[in-house]
Amino acid sequence: NPCKVHGTPVAGLIASTGVGAYATTLGTAFGSKIVDMQMGCDGANLIGDPIAGFDWLASQNETIQVVNLSWGAGTGLIFEEIINRLTKLGIVVVVSAGNDNDNQNVEFTLMDPATAIGSIAVGAVTDALVPIGFSAMGPNSKYIVKPDIVAPGAGLTTLDANGGITYFTGTSGSAPLVSGAIATLISGLEDQNIPWNVGTIKEGLMRSVKAKN
């Protein structure tokens, strides 16, 4: 199914249990529960009604804590109000920065909804923490510094749609690594009865990252 070529590797980076032959695919929130919201599969455009999809996500805020959006749609602020709505409902929204920099080191190439102030926008770096040339750069159109954080984004070992293993490259892979880490953090906080909100998760994540000089 061509619709699963992108979504399956993304989900695997979050939730793969790494059992047996799949040991190298262990997700950053292995074994977590995944809810999928299909928004298109032609490789270029959103299909259907994404607004209705976000409305549904908002209605599930009692059970859905983290939303991963490994896609982009232009460089504006179309989704700003939608992302803000989800964060006010207590849902952490993690978004891939986009792959449109084309090794040009060009600002304002960040993709919407990574441009949204309330999102956690994730760029891509190598395992040595060197920025990858395709990873989109901010700031957004309001000159807010973006992306918020970076994560590995080249040759990531994950699941493929045919039940095998694949190697995934792009900010679409960087974002789910962060989403899974956040889900694991939230699980640990709740196990210890420690209160949290979207703001404390984002601030804590950004304060704890490793700086590269």
Side-chain angles (χ1 to χ4, degrees), residues 44-45 110 136 151 185:
N45 301 305
L110 197 75
L185 173 60

Side-chain angles (χ1 to χ4, degrees), residues 123-165:
V125 292
T126 66
D127 289 343
L129 303 183
V130 176
I132 301 177
F134 59 71
S135 186
M137 296 175 61
N140 69 9
S141 60
K142 293 183 179 180
Y143 292 89
I144 301 298
V145 175
K146 290 278 185 173
D148 301 289
I149 194 171
V150 293
L156 305 173
T157 308
T158 185
L159 307 176
D160 69 20
N162 299 313
I165 294 175

Side-chain angles (χ1 to χ4, degrees), residues 87-110:
T87 58
K88 287 178 181 178
L89 290 169
I91 299 173
V92 182
V93 182
V94 181
V95 190
S96 58
N99 305 323
D100 290 342
N101 205 7
D102 296 326
N103 298 302
Q104 299 298 312
N105 200 33
V106 178
E107 296 180 337
F108 299 103
T109 53
L110 197 75

Side-chain angles (χ1 to χ4, degrees), residues 21-104:
Y22 299 99
T24 58
T25 70
L26 189 68
T28 51
F30 59 90
S32 57
K33 295 179 181 178
I34 295 288
V35 177
D36 69 288
M37 184 179 73
Q38 186 169 306
M39 300 182 74
C41 64
D42 73 344
N45 301 305
L46 297 180
I47 298 173
D49 189 348
I51 303 302
F54 281 113
D55 282 340
W56 179 82
L57 281 175
S59 73
Q60 304 297 310
N61 69 308
E62 293 296 325
T63 55
I64 295 178
Q65 297 173 313
V66 183
V67 170
N68 183 85
L69 303 176
S70 285
W71 52 266
T75 57
L77 290 168
I78 300 170
F79 293 96
E80 177 82 17
E81 291 186 13
I82 295 171
I83 301 304
N84 288 344
R85 178 187 178 197
L86 294 178
T87 58
K88 287 178 181 178
L89 290 169
I91 299 173
V92 182
V93 182
V94 181
V95 190
S96 58
N99 305 323
D100 290 342
N101 205 7
D102 296 326
N103 298 302
Q104 299 298 312

Side-chain angles (χ1 to χ4, degrees), residues 10-18 25-34 66 176-187:
V10 168
L13 289 166
I14 297 172
S16 174
T17 56
T25 70
L26 189 68
T28 51
F30 59 90
S32 57
K33 295 179 181 178
I34 295 288
V66 183
L177 293 180
V178 174
S179 293
I182 290 172
T184 299
L185 173 60
I186 290 173
S187 177

